[in-house]
Amino acid sequence: MNTRNVKAFGTEAALKPLTDLTIGRREVEPQDVEIEILYCGICHSDLHSVHNDWGDTIYPVVPGHEIVGRITRVGSGVTKFKVGELAGVGCIVDSCRECEHCHEGEEQFCDKGWTAVFNSPDKKHGGVTYGGFSESIVVDENYVVHIPETLDLPGAAPILCAGITVYSPLKHWGAGPGKQIGIIGIGGLGHMAIKIAKAMGARVTVFTTSQAKADDARHLGADEVVLSTDANQMAACPKQDMILDTVSAKHDVNVYLNLLKVDGSLVIVGLPNEPLEVGAFNVVNGRKSFAGSNIGGIAETQEVIDFCAKHHITADIELINIQDVNEAFERLEKGQVKYRFVIDMASLK
Ligand code: NAP
Ligand code: ZN
Ligand code: ZN
């Protein structure tokens, strides 16, 4: 396979800082588009991967899966994109395209396993995929979405993971008028969930461990804010139809099961590396569900991009240069980002 060298930022080991790397990108094949990466968000999953929290990291790793850029080349068979257009790439860059889930546009549940934009063995081309902390990327057009020119580009990048990851379960569990939706954790996912659930018409309760974020949560659209470390505030909290849990570390989910209405659902999207314990009594009483959700398919990713454009939703971001990424990871680890770091990829040049 022909490749060309491009600049990237990544690391060779779990405890080493990220630094300049050179990686090979494949030459554009008939179905491929080449994208000059303009902005890339930093998700907590990038941090989990760099640290090998989930035990599956293949080094060197080049993270980044909230990619917004411009098309610079198109393959001979490309029909959906033209050179010069904006484009977005999220977590998924390939799947089997044949199973029932791929046919239904839920590539995230592909029977054969989907190919992630980084840290994933590339079944078709060999080697391992490298993500968005790089100057360009080559992706099959079927796994690329359109980004409207009206969206603020750095603020739009986090929609490609944080946005779709919360939009998909909010829609699936029926967030909308008359529904009481709880959001746990005001980070990258959580702050997008507040905005999206409000735009869907739901009443939103936010649970945070950070008193300093409580006022922000109201500005982001929350109707109620509960400091989850305060037992009195938790006891006074109204019962919820669905609670979306975006917490990145081990925590007690049983206190939230107890805040659900009868038939309510606690839906996990956060991915702590340790198991979460569920007391049987906490789900049996009230016929409650303890559920999960994983990103979203390509069609739904386009849907959330269009939804956000329509409702003027972008992420609240801190724009950084790639050279500041190690410091950004340290702050992300401590939950000290308001509310998503996005890298200005021009700084890599
Ligand atoms: P983030 O920006 O770091 O936000 C996580 C938030 O969780 C923090 O801001 C904090 O909110 C809260 N938190 C952190 N540690 C906590 C603790 N020990 N106890 C209670 N609350 C705590 O991370 P993110 O990028 O939003 O990602 C969140 C999680 O979702 C990560 O595990 C990530 O890997 C995962 N994820 C999953 C999917 C999926 O498809 N399922 C997709 C993307 C990301 P407060 O300060 O408000 O308490
Ligand atoms: Zn992510
Ligand atoms: Zn499939």
Side-chain angles (χ1 to χ4, degrees):
M1 189 181 58
N2 289 335
T3 59
R4 61 168 69 184
N5 284 346
V6 305
K7 288 183 190 169
F9 221 74
T11 183
E12 313 252 356
L15 296 174
K16 278 196 179 171
L18 278 78
T19 185
D20 288 298
L21 295 175
T22 300
I23 57 169
R25 291 289 191 206
R26 68 175 182 266
E27 289 291 353
V28 168
E29 295 179 358
Q31 293 305 316
D32 287 338
V33 297
E34 180 191 66
I35 301 165
E36 178 199 4
I37 301 175
L38 299 174
Y39 300 102
C40 185
I42 304 180
C43 175
H44 208 112
S45 298
D46 295 316
L47 182 60
H48 286 307
S49 292
V50 163
H51 287 175
N52 199 18
D53 283 347
W54 301 325
D56 67 350
T57 305
I58 308 160
Y59 295 96
V61 63
V62 174
H65 56 278
E66 293 182 336
I67 298 167
V68 167
R70 251 181 224 286
I71 306 272
T72 42
R73 290 196 297 159
V74 296
S76 55
V78 167
T79 58
K80 298 176 188 154
F81 293 91
K82 293 193 179 73
V83 169
E85 284 180 346
L86 290 172
V89 178
C91 300
I92 306 174
V93 291
D94 202 4
S95 64
C96 86
R97 308 168 199 222
E98 289 169 354
C99 72
E100 60 174 306
H101 306 295
C102 284
H103 277 300
E104 285 164 7
E106 294 197 313
E107 296 89 353
Q108 75 274 29
F109 306 130
C110 175
D111 281 343
K112 303 240 171 79
W114 46 281
T115 304
V117 66
F118 79 100
N119 191 41
S120 203
D122 187 333
K123 291 180 198 143
K124 189 170 170 198
H125 303 94
V128 173
T129 55
Y130 295 122
F133 291 13
S134 58
E135 58 184 338
S136 66
I137 190 165
V138 176
V139 183
D140 183 312
E141 66 163 341
N142 294 300
Y143 296 83
V144 180
V145 297
H146 291 277
I147 306 289
E149 295 276 351
T150 51
L151 269 175
D152 169 65
L153 292 188
I159 304 170
L160 275 308
C161 177
I164 179 61
T165 299
V166 299
Y167 177 86
S168 185
L170 286 169
K171 188 179 164 196
H172 183 81
W173 271 272
K179 288 290 171 71
Q180 185 84 47
I181 302 293
I183 311 288
I184 315 175
I186 318 177
L189 269 58
H191 95 289
M192 290 300 284
I194 299 171
K195 295 184 186 200
I196 289 171
K198 278 308 290 179
M200 288 174 166
R203 190 171 172 86
V204 174
T205 302
V206 171
F207 301 94
T208 180
T209 59
S210 311
Q211 177 66 61
K213 294 183 189 169
D215 284 344
D216 279 6
R218 284 204 175 74
H219 290 132
L220 291 166
D223 298 290
E224 287 113 15
V225 183
V226 176
L227 191 62
S228 53
T229 49
D230 182 330
N232 292 332
Q233 288 190 35
M234 288 292 274
C237 178
K239 294 275 191 284
Q240 309 289 315
D241 293 287
M242 175 226 190
I243 299 179
L244 187 64
D245 185 336
T246 76
V247 175
S248 51
K250 190 171 168 69
H251 58 291
D252 181 11
V253 293
N254 295 286
V255 291
Y256 296 104
L257 288 166
N258 292 330
L259 289 179
L260 291 171
K261 294 180 186 174
V262 171
D263 285 331
S265 300
L266 174 62
V267 182
I268 301 288
V269 286
L271 291 167
N273 54 356
E274 293 174 78
L276 302 170
E277 285 166 19
V278 173
F281 284 90
N282 298 320
V283 282
V284 165
N285 187 22
R287 200 166 46 202
K288 292 163 185 173
S289 299
F290 180 64
S293 186
N294 194 22
I295 51 172
I298 302 302
E300 201 173 35
T301 303
Q302 185 68 63
E303 187 179 309
V304 65
I305 292 278
D306 297 342
F307 178 92
C308 288
K310 182 177 167 201
H311 293 276
H312 309 290
I313 294 172
T314 49
D316 289 18
I317 64 146
E318 288 189 43
L319 193 63
I320 61 164
N321 289 334
I322 192 91
Q323 293 76 17
D324 299 326
V325 82
N326 292 300
E327 193 189 319
F329 272 5
E330 277 173 33
R331 282 184 48 205
L332 183 59
E333 178 104 71
K334 295 180 194 147
Q336 289 174 353
V337 45
K338 290 191 169 181
Y339 281 94
R340 199 59 144 186
F341 285 115
V342 173
I343 305 165
D344 182 351
M345 223 33 90
S347 59
L348 186 61
K349 300 229 165 76

